[in-house]
Amino acid sequence: MVAELAANAATHGRVPGRDFEVGLVLAGGTLRIEAADTRTESGPPTGTGSAPDPGPASETGRGLLLVAALATRWGVADRQGPGKTVWAEIDVTDGGT
């Protein structure tokens, strides 16, 4: 999921002269992955919900389907400043260790 969100930010959210950010935070049994970029006009639908359907003949566009299948929750939020943050959360346990 980290690789998919980072690749999407680099591929679809890139603005010349600006970078994207990836962050991971583990808190209270939840791992949150965030990828933020500075493009506002390109990205999945804002809010939370289902991933866009690329259609059966498309050779691309299935990454967010994987994120949606693996994540407990995911969505898109406006970022402070220009851009957006695509995030995914996974509920985790310590596995008894």
Side-chain angles (χ1 to χ4, degrees), residues 34-73:
E34 295 182 342
D37 63 60
T38 54
R39 284 190 76 180
T40 55
E41 74 281 359
S42 176
T46 57
T48 58
S50 61
D53 183 3
S58 178
E59 294 182 9
T60 63
R62 289 177 177 75
L64 282 178
L65 291 174
L66 294 172
V67 171
L70 296 171
T72 306
R73 293 166 293 284

